[in-house]
Amino acid sequence: MKTLNDKIALVTGGSRGIGRAIALILASAGAHVVITYRNSSREAQAVVEEIKKKGQESVAFQADVSVLKQSEEVVEKITSQFKRIDVLVNNAGITKDGLLMRISESDWDAVIDTNLKGVFNMTKATLRPMLGQRSGKVINMTSIVGLTGNAGQTNYAASKAGIIGFTKSLAKEVGSRNIQVNAVAPGYVETDMTAQLTDEQRKLLIDQIPLRRTAKPEEIAHVVKFLASPEADYITGQVICVDGGMMM
Ligand code: NAP
């Protein structure tokens, strides 16, 4: 039997990058997977088709995680179709980098609203069915930048550090209901988010990674799959760095 046999999983930002890899790997482990996206409907539909080819059910919903009402609507549709939600992966995220003095109020708000408030919105909506079921796994995508800070990313690092505080607090709140809440902190992963780095910036970064290479999205997704599985039932409130050793 597969580790996630017939579990219902929701992956935000499942149309591209790390979220796409998570959705596909959860489906390979036996889950039925709902993904959300903001703009990329063609890419989202392609992920749905790939999941269906694996024999699992899949749906994509266009929903902005920064809007509570849209998050609630997604969860309502899932519970009416699938009757439960076993796994929530809060993966959707954006960057709007710049030195603090150059970050506009709207860029600050966009990053905090998507990355941090988005986690609040989706988790609040999903927790109701999980509390009723007395089981569930919430996995939040943070970043090593939320632990170390990074010049030029005050907004992003604040959102990712906020996710870590959220994860630990919620883990304490809902542990008695058999709901595990963990965070995964990737280092540098090859996706659209990191594609704009120059060769020189990339080389400087790789010099700081003990494994001397960047990560593939699948290498993050495998850790998410483990945290979503019954094998991780005794793990909660943790931040798992998947960073080639950068945080050592
Ligand atoms: P990506 O390739 O840019 O993909 C981002 C995904 O999030 C897309 O599916 C996007 O949907 C979705 N999204 C963005 N804003 C949204 C919103 N308001 N509502 C719903 N969905 C939204 O990014 P990635 O590199 O895979 O990153 C995924 C997560 O890992 C993020 O939380 C990121 O901070 C984190 N992370 C990434 C790295 C890295 O090196 N790449 C490192 C550490 C942490 P559309 O396709 O519709 O735009």
Side-chain angles (χ1 to χ4, degrees), residues 148-218:
T148 61
N150 193 24
Q153 288 197 310
T154 49
N155 50 2
Y156 182 76
S159 73
K160 294 301 184 182
I163 289 174
I164 293 171
F166 177 97
T167 300
K168 293 182 179 183
S169 303
L170 186 65
K172 289 184 175 178
E173 274 185 34
V174 298
S176 63
R177 306 295 186 92
N178 190 32
I179 298 170
Q180 292 80 9
V181 189
N182 290 292
V184 173
Y188 182 96
V189 190
E190 296 286 349
T191 68
D192 294 343
M193 187 177 270
T194 47
Q196 72 274 35
L197 288 188
T198 63
D199 285 350
E200 199 189 338
Q201 287 170 320
R202 192 177 295 265
K203 190 187 168 305
L204 280 172
L205 246 162
I206 287 173
D207 284 346
Q208 296 167 41
I209 305 173
L211 289 181
R212 291 287 183 275
R213 66 174 181 84
T214 56
K216 296 192 244 359
E218 291 72 20

Side-chain angles (χ1 to χ4, degrees), residues 29-212:
H32 304 298
V33 185
V34 177
I35 63 167
T36 69
Y37 64 96
R38 187 185 39 173
N39 300 313
S40 313
S41 63
R42 205 153 30 95
E43 288 86 344
Q45 213 42 53
V47 174
V48 165
E49 294 313 317
E50 259 192 81
I51 291 173
K52 286 184 174 165
K53 274 191 209 142
K54 294 175 190 286
Q56 302 306 119
E57 291 181 52
S58 184
V59 194
F61 294 119
Q62 198 267 329
D64 185 339
V65 290
S66 69
V67 182
L68 179 60
K69 195 163 173 0
Q70 293 186 27
S71 306
E72 288 172 340
E73 282 167 4
V74 165
V75 172
E76 275 160 28
K77 285 180 195 158
I78 297 171
T79 48
S80 75
Q81 183 172 347
F82 295 99
K83 310 297 174 216
R84 55 188 293 120
I85 302 186
D86 299 293
V87 179
L88 167 65
V89 184
N90 282 309
N91 164 80
I94 58 168
T95 52
K96 290 199 182 281
D97 297 349
L99 297 174
L100 180 71
M101 292 307 287
R102 295 201 191 127
I103 291 181
S104 65
E105 186 182 3
S106 65
D107 281 356
W108 174 270
D109 287 346
V111 169
I112 299 295
D113 286 355
T114 303
N115 297 7
L116 184 55
K117 190 180 170 205
V119 171
F120 163 78
N121 288 343
M122 289 304 311
T123 309
K124 188 160 188 225
T126 309
L127 214 51
R128 195 181 298 277
M130 284 184 175
L131 287 168
Q133 293 158 201
R134 294 214 162 238
S135 69
K137 309 266 192 205
V138 179
I139 299 147
N140 298 322
M141 202 53 67
T142 179
S143 164
I144 58 163
V145 161
L147 292 162
T148 61
N150 193 24
Q153 288 197 310
T154 49
N155 50 2
Y156 182 76
S159 73
K160 294 301 184 182
I163 289 174
I164 293 171
F166 177 97
T167 300
K168 293 182 179 183
S169 303
L170 186 65
K172 289 184 175 178
E173 274 185 34
V174 298
S176 63
R177 306 295 186 92
N178 190 32
I179 298 170
Q180 292 80 9
V181 189
N182 290 292
V184 173
Y188 182 96
V189 190
E190 296 286 349
T191 68
D192 294 343
M193 187 177 270
T194 47
Q196 72 274 35
L197 288 188
T198 63
D199 285 350
E200 199 189 338
Q201 287 170 320
R202 192 177 295 265
K203 190 187 168 305
L204 280 172
L205 246 162
I206 287 173
D207 284 346
Q208 296 167 41
I209 305 173
L211 289 181
R212 291 287 183 275

